[in-house]
Amino acid sequence: MTRNSIDLDADIVELTPFVPETETVPTAPLAELAFRADAWLPDETNRLRAAFAEDRTIDEIAAMLGRPRAGVATRIHDLGLRRNSRRSWSDWDDEEMACCYAHVPTATLAARLGRGVSALYARARLLGLSEPGSPPYSGWEDAQLRVGYEQGVPVAQISSLIGRPLSGVIARASVLGLRHACQPDDWSDAEMTRALNLAATGARYMAIARMLAHEGFPERNSRSLGQRLRMLGYGRGWGRAWIAEEDDLLRHAYATGASLTPLRERLGRSSHSIRWRAEALKLRGTHVRRDGFRQGSVWTAEDEARLRADYGKIPTRQIAKALGRGLRAVLYRANHLGLVHGFMRPFSSDEDGAIRSAWTHGVSMVDVAQALGRDPAVIGKHAARIGYRFNDPARPSRGPRTRRASRAPVTLESLLALDPPDLPIAA
């Protein structure tokens, strides 16, 4: 019996509060302490909680309470208050990030600044801070992991919540002996862990099923595997709202010409989501590189001139081979330049007259195609459409049987100069 997984709202940044064991109420009587002038009184703490719940900034709270900003931020951290903030970053926040990002766990630093873990990762990338080593899991992270697995929250959402990679969350859950609430009964823990790890690499379900079967697990089809992975809570963050920090990171990538692949992996977004957001922010065409993120060599003026001269006159595959590029790269570039394929352009009146002259004087369809720069099949279809079938037995004469190389080249002008009879072109 399995349960359906639940999706978290965008504003949820904590599944359950965590109280370390060291903060339990002591059983021994409390000793008397000398009163401190800067001690936090219960009334001040209540006012702090109320202002924090109203989403006021730390500067506003500090001004309201008449306390230093650093003291208010420390008190917020000690009280364990967290929220998904969309506030702009101040100089103090950036200085705190520069001093503590490489030494303090990201979850702890996020609680201290009153921001989400993903916001810290995005800001650290913008500030060019070095990526710290993977710190040990804190008690708060383990608590979120336990409750998330118990409630059936998608594993990808748990990893985004606590700021850990998907594979790390799966490995930590295995160490803690956790079993996801949506795990099917006929799946072993080893098979679940392996399937989720392979899914995190972006492999297709069919390939994952083959790899699992090759490793000795039961054979499963791709559709069943996909359903089971979703029941296990696997998700890729589709539908999550974009926050301001992610938008800033995307703008920074376009402004600096950085690759979008690391950004996609860091944010847990698909390439389609990245492109959609870039278009929503009107970032298309603003990339400092001429060809954007497209792989391959840059198109030079000579390459574009050759493409303009040959496109639609010779097969596109030959153009791609001559330029040393892929077929799709040539098609995309031609579309970007606004080129129309020669096989698709409408026939002019001169071309119709040349086809009529060729049909009347026995010129072959291949010679007509070379003269007009079109495909022979296109010439044959259009000639039949206007009433001149080159394969019609009633055709007045046939083309010469000598080798084409020994004949004079056929051009549009030479076909029009054949002085065809005054025959109307059929509709």
Side-chain angles (χ1 to χ4, degrees):
M1 186 69 180
T2 59
R3 297 166 51 187
N4 294 329
S5 61
I6 61 175
D7 289 330
L8 297 180
D9 294 333
D11 296 334
I12 294 180
V13 296
E14 185 178 47
L15 294 174
T16 181
F18 172 72
V19 180
E21 296 180 359
T22 56
E23 295 184 5
T24 56
V25 179
T27 57
L30 296 177
E32 293 185 2
L33 297 176
F35 177 76
R36 295 179 53 182
D38 59 346
W40 284 84
L41 301 178
D43 179 65
E44 286 183 309
T45 302
N46 294 335
R47 293 171 61 191
L48 172 63
R49 290 181 181 274
F52 191 85
E54 294 174 359
D55 202 26
R56 295 191 181 183
T57 64
I58 298 180
D59 293 329
E60 293 175 350
I61 299 176
M64 179 186 67
L65 299 178
R67 287 182 173 271
R69 189 185 192 282
V72 173
T74 303
R75 187 60 177 172
I76 291 174
H77 171 259
D78 295 339
L79 294 175
L81 302 179
R82 300 174 61 83
R83 64 185 173 191
N84 184 14
S85 176
R86 296 173 182 269
R87 295 175 289 107
S88 59
W89 287 78
S90 64
D91 295 338
W92 185 89
D93 294 331
D94 291 341
E95 292 176 1
E96 194 73 7
M97 283 283 296
C99 295
C100 304
Y101 183 70
H103 311 288
V104 179
T106 310
T108 303
L109 185 58
R112 182 185 305 172
L113 299 178
R115 298 180 182 273
V117 176
S118 59
L120 262 69
Y121 282 143
R123 190 63 179 177
R125 177 65 178 84
L126 290 174
L127 296 176
L129 301 179
S130 60
E131 185 71 20
S134 178
Y137 275 73
S138 63
W140 178 83
E141 291 175 318
D142 287 343
Q144 310 310 308
L145 191 57
R146 292 179 187 275
V147 174
Y149 264 64
E150 180 182 353
Q151 296 181 358
V153 178
V155 183
Q157 294 187 8
I158 298 176
S159 66
S160 177
L161 178 73
I162 65 178
R164 296 278 188 169
L166 180 63
S167 58
V169 172
I170 297 172
R172 183 60 178 175
S174 178
V175 171
L176 297 177
L178 302 179
R179 180 182 179 88
H180 201 276
C182 297
Q183 178 178 348
D185 296 333
D186 59 338
W187 280 58
S188 63
D189 293 338
E191 185 178 7
M192 179 201 73
T193 302
R194 182 57 176 161
L196 287 173
N197 284 328
L198 293 175
T201 63
R204 295 182 177 273
Y205 290 153
M206 185 177 298
I208 296 175
R210 288 197 299 264
M211 286 186 282
L212 291 176
H214 181 72
E215 295 175 5
F217 294 104
E219 294 186 3
R220 308 184 187 275
N221 57 46
S222 59
R223 178 173 298 181
S224 173
L225 176 64
Q227 293 175 351
R228 292 299 185 181
L229 286 176
R230 287 187 289 273
M231 294 176 65
L232 287 172
Y234 171 73
R236 297 180 178 177
W238 297 332
R240 287 188 293 112
W242 281 75
I243 62 177
E245 288 81 0
E246 291 177 316
D247 290 343
D248 293 339
L249 193 58
L250 184 59
R251 292 190 182 97
H252 180 75
Y254 268 79
T256 59
S259 174
L260 289 181
T261 301
L263 177 63
R264 184 175 66 248
E265 295 176 353
R266 178 179 292 272
L267 300 182
R269 302 278 186 177
S270 65
S271 57
H272 300 284
S273 177
I274 294 289
R275 289 197 297 268
W276 172 85
R277 191 58 181 175
E279 292 183 1
L281 297 176
K282 299 181 179 180
L283 298 179
R284 170 175 285 187
T286 60
H287 198 281
V288 295
R289 297 180 182 176
R290 182 179 180 185
D291 288 342
F293 300 111
R294 188 180 297 113
Q295 297 179 353
S297 56
V298 177
W299 283 83
T300 63
E302 293 75 9
D303 294 339
E304 293 182 353
R306 186 170 183 178
L307 179 61
R308 292 178 184 274
D310 296 341
Y311 191 71
K313 299 178 181 179
I314 62 177
T316 311
R317 293 185 182 275
Q318 294 183 11
I319 301 177
K321 184 176 181 180
L323 296 176
R325 300 180 182 273
L327 178 61
R328 289 191 175 185
V330 174
L331 294 175
Y332 290 156
R333 196 60 184 177
N335 181 60
H336 176 75
L337 296 175
L339 303 180
V340 179
H341 204 285
F343 303 152
M344 300 179 183
R345 68 177 187 269
F347 280 80
S348 64
S349 57
D350 289 342
E351 289 178 320
D352 290 342
I355 293 175
R356 183 182 59 183
S357 300
W359 184 88
T360 304
H361 291 269
V363 180
S364 68
M365 185 171 58
V366 176
D367 291 335
V368 178
Q370 292 181 354
L372 302 183
R374 296 180 181 269
D375 189 88
V378 176
I379 295 295
K381 291 181 180 179
H382 183 70
R385 191 179 301 115
I386 62 177
Y388 302 102
R389 297 181 179 274
F390 280 83
N391 58 352
D392 190 352
R395 187 182 177 190
S397 60
R398 297 183 178 272
R401 298 185 178 274
T402 58
R403 297 179 61 87
R404 184 173 290 103
S406 60
R407 300 198 301 264
V410 180
T411 62
L412 176 62
E413 292 75 12
S414 63
L415 292 176
L416 295 176
L418 292 177
D419 191 19
D422 190 11
L423 295 176
I425 299 178

